Amino acid sequence: MRGERTVRGALQALVALLITLAFNISALVLDCAPIALAQTATTPAPPQFDVRPDYVGMADNFLSGATGWSPGALGRYLDAKAMSEIGLLVGNGDYGAASDKALHYLGEKAVASVPVIGQWYALGQLGKGLGDWAIDHFGSARFDSALNSLSAHFSEADWNRPYGDPGLDIELVIIENANLLTFIDKQSGGGHSPDELRRMLWDMLRARHQFEALADHFGLSGGERTYETIARRYDEQMRVNAEAARMIEADRVVAEKRRLEEKWRVEQAHLAKKEADEKARNAETCNAWLGKIAFDPDRHLPRPADDVVKELCGEAPPVAPATGADDISTDIIAPQPASSDQAPDFSPTNGTAGDLAWQIESSAGARKTTFRLTVTNTGRGPIEGVGMEAGPSGPYKSGGVVAGASRSVLLPGQSRRFDIVATGDVKAVAISVQTGKGPVASISRPCLHETGIVGDGHYSGSYSGLGNDGRIALTVTGGTVTGTLVGSFADDAQSLAISCAISGTYNPETGTLSAQWGGTAVGAYKGENGAKINEALAGALSGSLKDNTFSGTWVGGSQFLEAEGQWSASR
């Protein structure tokens, strides 16, 4: 009875499907396509996928449009924090603040390198020092000869030399004019030293150069070449670039949602087909149990007791002959002549229990192990009520054991086969061989299929912690884990790009992984020296798998700095 209860519980889902749907079993066996089509037709709408904005990407597009520089080139001036701040402002539609933030981060660092933004920053800085008076007098003829003299041979880098540069001092001496310095002194309140006047002259010439460069950039002429017009054109250019970056990100989000929805539809179609195939297999098994088609032990589950068959399949199996052996015709082996020169092989998979000899064979399949138990009457008289019961041996999380058959009489020399199927996380089975007098043998055999949580696949996600952030990618194949870890680290002293390889193991029994990572951190120290950095990195990470997502912690760093944090990656 215990074996029948095991079968009843393991196949309860089958009866629910068969009874509730009330379909014709034989029709399902012949034609399963309508089921798959019906599942596809009733597939619900995809869920609302939440695609997070890529603020760094928005900043890349905004600044690339504004400067003409690639994201890689801009990376020399901007760290991840600055890019995220600018991108967040663009994403929120605050284009003016995004422009100011870009000016704040880029202007001083790239004043001689980044067009428009660097020139606007330089002009603004000089304007603060000289006041409105300097801008009002850009058109004075007093400066034209000095400006033209320098413009004839100065590069953009020359125009951004600091006051006090030895090469610049020579240039200023050449163009210096006493009347010009006197004019500057009077217009700026008087009382300045010659060195102060020379510095003011250089700042005014630089401001005039930046002014003319920006006016040329925006195509201004005549009365349009004013500070106010340049400011409006600059703001408009920043706004257009920010709007374009926001639209590109919106298109990316829409495309990513479509990709996720299509992936979900493909997965749902696969699940629907899998469910339809399983219904068809169950229906075919019922037909085999009911004798409507030939029973194939390699394809069909062992037949349970008659009342269980009736409950699961909706009808009782045909009445067996009155021999007490209701399925002898399908699984009882005819007596074999005795051989005096062949002794039985009593290995751990063989044994005897009184007049019964037994032998068990095992074979592995996809997430299941099939055991075939053969019992033989070696005595001189019939043995009544020969049967068996089986169940899991030891703890398990999923799956179970399916086994069961009616009792029968074995005549001398006759054999009978029983099939037991273990699935999921069942690691071993316990089998009891029985006769009408009770249990006569207990057998415990290990399962051959892979148990535990299958982790095979590709995973991608992110990691973070203590100034670190980046992307992590993993590939799990059996018990092997490989992958990459790419990101950045920044603090007040340095900014680094990180690139590492990951190698480790995965334990399907516990659903956990353990891995080592190693690589390099390349970058530079912040500040005036800007010394290059190229350090070796090493560390470890661990995590567990749940709902197709690995998550856990990492630790490691270089010989100078140790850090730790969290990571997650989804399949």
Side-chain angles (χ1 to χ4, degrees):
M1 292 301 294
R2 190 166 69 247
E4 292 177 2
R5 287 196 299 271
T6 302
V7 174
R8 189 189 306 270
L11 299 179
Q12 193 63 44
L14 173 61
V15 67
L17 293 172
L18 296 176
I19 294 175
T20 303
L21 296 177
F23 54 76
N24 184 280
I25 293 174
S26 59
L28 279 173
V29 174
L30 296 175
D31 187 6
C32 302
I35 298 177
L37 293 175
Q39 289 291 328
T40 303
T42 57
T43 299
Q48 295 295 321
F49 291 103
D50 182 21
V51 178
R52 298 178 60 185
D54 180 6
Y55 294 118
V56 172
M58 274 191 282
D60 277 343
N61 290 324
F62 167 54
L63 294 173
S64 296
T67 66
W69 283 35
S70 67
L74 288 169
R76 291 184 296 172
Y77 302 106
L78 296 173
D79 57 21
K81 177 177 180 294
M83 296 291 279
S84 297
E85 290 178 2
I86 294 171
L88 181 62
L89 292 170
V90 172
N92 291 336
D94 195 348
Y95 303 147
S99 175
D100 292 343
K101 188 70 71 173
L103 193 66
H104 169 74
Y105 281 119
L106 274 177
E108 184 177 357
K109 297 177 183 178
V111 66
S113 306
V114 180
V116 184
I117 290 181
Q119 293 168 338
W120 183 249
Y121 177 84
L123 181 59
Q125 293 298 104
L126 293 170
K128 292 176 183 177
L130 294 174
D132 295 335
W133 175 86
I135 296 174
D136 292 339
H137 289 79
F138 280 161
S140 173
R142 297 175 181 271
F143 301 102
D144 285 348
S145 61
L147 177 67
N148 294 335
S149 174
L150 295 181
S151 298
H153 62 280
F154 261 28
S155 66
E156 193 63 33
D158 292 330
W159 280 110
N160 287 283
R161 288 181 183 180
Y163 181 78
D165 184 292
L168 180 63
D169 288 343
I170 296 174
E171 298 286 350
L172 292 178
V173 169
I174 294 174
I175 65 171
E176 187 174 301
N177 181 292
N179 291 332
L180 182 58
L181 296 182
T182 300
F183 173 76
I184 294 174
D185 189 40
K186 289 181 179 179
Q187 294 295 330
S188 57
H192 298 95
S193 68
D195 185 70
E196 290 175 333
L197 293 172
R198 192 177 293 111
R199 176 189 291 272
M200 294 172 68
L201 171 62
W202 172 236
D203 286 345
M204 290 179 63
L205 290 169
R206 288 175 64 200
R208 172 70 180 275
H209 167 76
Q210 301 294 355
F211 178 91
E212 299 294 344
L214 285 169
D216 291 341
H217 171 80
F218 292 119
L220 303 179
S221 60
E224 292 181 322
R225 297 175 75 90
T226 66
Y227 182 88
E228 291 75 14
T229 304
I230 290 175
R232 286 196 303 271
R233 293 291 182 88
Y234 175 83
D235 290 340
E236 176 64 14
Q237 179 173 326
M238 293 299 105
R239 183 189 64 79
V240 169
N241 287 319
E243 286 182 346
R246 194 181 185 194
M247 291 175 62
I248 291 172
E249 174 60 13
D251 290 343
R252 185 197 70 83
V253 170
V254 170
E256 178 63 12
K257 286 184 177 180
R258 288 175 179 168
R259 186 190 70 81
L260 293 173
E261 289 173 355
E262 182 59 26
K263 178 183 177 183
W264 181 88
R265 291 189 183 95
V266 171
E267 291 174 348
Q268 294 303 305
H270 173 73
L271 292 175
K273 184 179 184 303
K274 183 178 178 181
E275 182 179 350
D277 290 345
E278 180 143 359
K279 289 179 181 179
R281 284 196 301 270
N282 290 338
E284 180 182 322
T285 298
C286 273
N287 280 343
W289 288 349
L290 296 170
K292 297 180 179 181
I293 61 175
F295 183 87
D296 182 354
D298 293 327
R299 182 175 178 82
H300 305 132
L301 294 173
R303 198 187 86 178
D306 291 353
D307 61 333
V308 177
V309 173
K310 182 176 181 180
E311 179 183 352
L312 297 179
C313 300
E315 59 181 293
V319 178
T323 60
D326 54 341
D327 51 357
I328 287 177
S329 61
T330 60
D331 62 353
I332 292 185
I333 306 170
Q336 298 295 319
S339 174
S340 58
D341 30 292
Q342 278 192 341
D345 179 15
F346 294 113
S347 68
T349 56
N350 293 268
T352 59
D355 290 336
L356 275 182
W358 56 267
Q359 181 181 28
I360 189 166
E361 299 173 333
S362 308
S363 62
R367 295 283 288 169
K368 71 177 182 178
T369 298
T370 301
F371 301 89
R372 173 160 289 183
L373 173 66
T374 303
V375 295
T376 303
N377 182 351
T378 61
R380 296 184 177 182
I383 301 176
E384 301 284 342
V386 176
M388 53 77 66
E389 292 181 356
S393 178
Y396 65 99
K397 296 180 180 178
S398 64
V401 173
V402 178
S406 57
R407 302 294 185 90
S408 61
V409 177
L410 280 188
L411 300 177
Q414 281 187 329
S415 298
R416 183 177 179 186
R417 294 192 183 108
F418 302 89
D419 286 328
I420 304 107
V421 179
T423 63
D425 293 325
V426 175
K427 299 175 179 61
V429 296
I431 304 169
S432 174
V433 181
Q434 300 183 343
T435 68
K437 297 179 180 181
V440 295
S442 295
I443 307 167
S444 181
R445 297 298 301 163
C447 293
L448 304 181
H449 67 277
E450 291 186 2
T451 60
I453 305 173
V454 178
D456 286 21
H458 300 285
Y459 301 78
S460 62
S462 61
Y463 72 92
S464 62
L466 299 176
N468 291 273
D469 64 69
R471 305 293 300 174
I472 183 171
L474 297 174
T475 298
V476 179
T477 306
T480 302
V481 177
T482 58
T484 59
L485 185 149
V486 179
S488 63
F489 170 81
D491 59 15
D492 294 335
Q494 58 191 326
S495 180
L496 306 174
I498 294 171
S499 179
C500 297
I502 299 172
S503 177
T505 58
Y506 172 71
N507 185 346
E509 297 297 326
T510 59
T512 59
L513 68 76
S514 177
Q516 304 295 315
W517 54 268
T520 58
V522 178
Y525 287 104
K526 298 177 180 178
E528 295 182 357
N529 62 351
K532 302 298 182 183
I533 301 174
N534 191 332
E535 300 174 352
L537 300 177
L541 61 84
S542 60
S544 59
L545 179 60
K546 183 179 181 182
D547 296 333
N548 289 323
T549 297
F550 276 108
S551 61
T553 59
W554 63 267
V555 63
S558 68
Q559 60 177 325
F560 306 105
L561 180 65
E562 189 82 359
E564 60 183 15
Q566 297 78 39
W567 68 276
S568 66
S570 299
R571 180 155 43 189

